[in-house]
Structure formats: C-alpha cells, structure tokens
C-alpha cells in the first residue's frame, strides 16, 4: 500500500502564522522591557508570551473574542503621560516615523503590547495545540472574529480608553478614505476616548509629497469626524500638512518643489 501525504490545502484565505512567532514575541518583549524601556524591567516576558499564546492556541480561529486576551492585557498594562497619545489611520509608516523622532509621543506600536505584535500574523486551530503556519482567516473573506482582528480591536480600545490630555491623529489626505468609519480608528478608538479625560483631538491631514490632495481639513469626510467628536463633547482641531510631519516627508523628497516652501 502506497502512502500519500495529506494534501496541504490552505484552509483560510489569509497569510499563516509568521514563522517563529513565539520566539519573535518573546524576543520583542525582552527588547522592549530590558533595552528600550528599562523602567519596565520587572515585567515577566515568559508569562506575557505565554498569555499571548494561550489567547488563541487550541481554539477555533473564527471564534476569537476579546475575553481571550484579558490576561495578556492585564500583564501588559502600561501608563503613559497625558498628552502623548498618537492615533493614526492609513498612515502607519509616517505616524511611526513621527513618534520615533518625537520620542515623548506614543502610538500603540510604541507600547509593549503593540510593539510585540506589530506586523505579525497568527492563529491556531481547534483540533491542534500548534499554530497554523499555513493560513489564517482573512477578516473579510473568512471571519472578522479572527485572533488578529480581535487582538487589534481589544488593544486599540484599551489604548483609547487610557488616553488623557490632548491627543493627536495622523490621517492620510492622499487617499479616498482619509477618515474611514470602518477603520480601527473610526470604528473603535474615537468611540472609546473619555471626554472627561480627553478635551481635544488634533488631526493632522498629511498629503504625500507630489501626491494628490483627495481630502483636506475642509472635506466633508473630516467634517464627519468633527461631528462624531462634537456629539461626544471632545473638541476637534484640524491642520493640513502639519509642519513637524511634513519635514519628515521632505527628508526623502528634499528636491521636490513642495518641500522648498516648507523650509
Ligand atoms: O484601521 P486603522 O488603520 O484606522 O487602525 C489604526 C489605529 C491606530 O490609531 C492604532 O492605535 O488603530 C490602532 N491599530 C494599530 O495600532 C495597529 N497596528 C497594526 C490598528 N491596527 C493595527 N495594525 C494592523 O493594521 C491591523 O492588522 C489592522 O487591521 C491594520 C489597520 O490599519 P489601518 O486601516 O491603516
């Protein structure tokens, strides 16, 4: 009798768990707590990494729930000073370049829990205690209640709930959905800011150097954001091409004409 290996069909439509996921998460935890933020030296990375794995291993990857991440959230609790939270939407790279230079400011990826998970994929399986390295559910094609989407919703919600003082958001004015009600920022974060703690949200609408100006502070889209915040008693301010961030864009486009007038 000839033995054929089981066909390796992909179960889901999204990328599988990032190779070496457990080691990456553990290593990033140590880098963050021992090297980048030694004031967090006391945190237990073994426990933290274990809690991360337990949140999704041996579970149906379409039945993930925020509850699964409660232990991880407890272990990675971290406070930052008021007025230092930076949100972003469709401006991942630029927002992180900004907080890298403005080292007193924090995006979620500058917090331990976001730093550990940034750019990784992960999921498990109901009938196995291992990660699925082949494929993971795609949030649109398979299910929204997958381990990764649920994680980002949970940690984004906590990041917003914990924010205090004047907060900022970096938006991309060169795309059609500059303010997207279905994004994590539009769907989760703005609704979880506490008006008693957060008096004002400052939006920076950034345009790619030499790119189109799809939206600006005077666009109806941005007005939507303004109205949502007004209803929640949070003051809204908006500025197009905020200079400190424009300078960052001009570092790599210094010869472009639009970068002359910036200086
Ligand atoms: O959906 P978005 O942007 O509006 O999410 C960004 C918003 C930020 O303010 C963060 O605090 O929500 C938080 N957040 C992350 O920090 C994050 N890191 C990586 C949300 N999502 C995050 N990711 C992944 O990018 C995640 O897989 C999610 O689906 C995308 C969202 O990016 P987006 O649409 O540009």
């Amino acid at each position: 009798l000839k033995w054929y290996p089981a066909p390796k069909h992909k179960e889901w439509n999204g990328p599988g768990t990032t190779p070496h996921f457990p080691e990456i998460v553990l290593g990033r935890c140590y880098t963050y707590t021992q090297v980048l933020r030694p004031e967090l030296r006391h945190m237990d990375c073994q426990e933290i990494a274990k809690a991360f794995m337990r949140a999704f291993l041996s579970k149906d990857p379409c039945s993930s729930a925020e509850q699964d991440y409660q232990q991880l959230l407890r272990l990675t609790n971290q406070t930052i000073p008021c007025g230092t939270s930076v949100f972003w939407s469709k401006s991942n790279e630029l927002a992180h370049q900004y907080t890298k230079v403005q080292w007193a400011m924090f995006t979620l990826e500058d917090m331990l829990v976001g730093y550990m998970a940034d750019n990784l994929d992960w999921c498990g399986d109901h009938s196995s205690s291992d990660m699925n390295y082949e494929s993971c559910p795609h949030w649109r094609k398979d299910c929204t209640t997958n381990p990764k989407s649920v994680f980002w919703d949970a940690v984004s919600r906590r990041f917003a709930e914990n924010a205090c003082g004047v907060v900022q958001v970096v938006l991309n004015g060169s795309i059609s959905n500059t303010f997207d009600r279905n994004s994590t920022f539009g769907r989760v974060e703005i609704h979880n800011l506490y008006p008693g703690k957060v008096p004002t949200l400052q939006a920076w609408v950034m345009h790619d150097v030499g790119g189109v100006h799809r939206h600006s502070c005077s666009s109806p889209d941005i007005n939507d954001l303004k109205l949502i915040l007004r209803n929640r008693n949070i003051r809204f301010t908006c500025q197009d091409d905020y200079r400190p961030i424009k300078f960052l864009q001009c570092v790599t486009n210094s010869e472009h004409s639009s970068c002359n007038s910036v200086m």
Side-chain angles (χ1 to χ4, degrees), residues 87-90 108-109 148 152 156 159 183-185 189:
F87 301 94
W88 53 268
S89 192
K90 326 288 176 199
L108 178 51
E109 290 68 34
K148 191 180 150 186
W152 286 114
S156 300
F159 186 56
S183 68
T184 312
F185 174 67
E189 291 176 327

Side-chain angles (χ1 to χ4, degrees), residues 19-36:
H20 311 290
F21 178 85
E23 292 87 356
I24 294 171
V25 165
L26 185 63
R28 284 182 176 180
C29 181
Y30 280 119
T31 300
Y32 191 91
T33 58
Q34 302 296 317
V35 183
L36 300 178

Side-chain angles (χ1 to χ4, degrees), residues 164-184:
C164 55
V166 175
V167 302
Q168 308 180 8
V169 63
V170 182
L171 299 174
N172 184 345
S174 289
I175 57 167
S176 56
N177 45 349
T178 299
F179 172 64
D180 178 358
R181 282 168 177 273
N182 297 318
S183 68
T184 312

Side-chain angles (χ1 to χ4, degrees), residues 39-191:
E39 66 273 19
L40 298 181
R41 227 167 342 202
H42 61 277
M43 285 206 166
D44 187 342
C45 285
Q46 297 289 348
E47 275 305 306
I48 290 170
K50 220 188 291 171
F52 203 151
M53 305 304 144
R54 281 197 190 129
F56 66 94
L57 285 183
S58 305
K59 294 178 183 177
D60 168 14
C62 274
S63 309
S64 196
E66 292 205 9
Q67 184 57 37
D68 298 334
Y69 288 104
Q70 282 317 301
Q71 181 67 359
L72 176 65
L73 287 182
R74 242 191 311 270
L75 293 172
T76 56
N77 205 25
Q78 183 181 3
T79 51
I80 54 173
C82 291
T84 63
S85 306
V86 178
F87 301 94
W88 53 268
S89 192
K90 326 288 176 199
S91 58
N92 190 326
E93 210 187 330
L94 192 57
H96 295 116
Q97 288 171 349
Y98 172 54
T99 58
K100 202 156 195 179
V101 176
Q102 293 280 16
W103 52 269
M105 308 296 292
F106 295 84
T107 64
L108 178 51
E109 290 68 34
D110 298 310
M111 308 288 284
L112 173 60
V113 79
Y115 183 84
M116 288 194 299
D118 198 20
N119 286 316
L120 301 182
D121 293 298
W122 64 92
C123 68
D125 191 273
H126 185 57
S127 59
S128 151
S129 56
D130 200 8
M131 282 142 283
N132 186 345
Y133 291 104
E134 287 292 311
S135 64
C136 288
H138 182 275
W139 68 274
R140 192 160 26 79
K141 295 178 194 155
D142 297 309
C143 55
T144 50
T145 51
N146 65 274
K148 191 180 150 186
S149 300
V150 168
F151 168 88
W152 286 114
D153 280 6
V155 296
S156 300
R157 185 159 62 80
R158 182 179 65 172
F159 186 56
E161 285 170 354
N162 286 344
C164 55
V166 175
V167 302
Q168 308 180 8
V169 63
V170 182
L171 299 174
N172 184 345
S174 289
I175 57 167
S176 56
N177 45 349
T178 299
F179 172 64
D180 178 358
R181 282 168 177 273
N182 297 318
S183 68
T184 312
F185 174 67
R187 180 173 44 81
V188 179
E189 291 176 327
I190 52 170
H191 303 286

Side-chain angles (χ1 to χ4, degrees), residues 193-206:
L193 295 169
Y194 284 124
K197 291 200 296 178
V198 177
T200 306
L201 179 126
Q202 298 177 317
W204 317 125
V205 177
M206 303 307 301

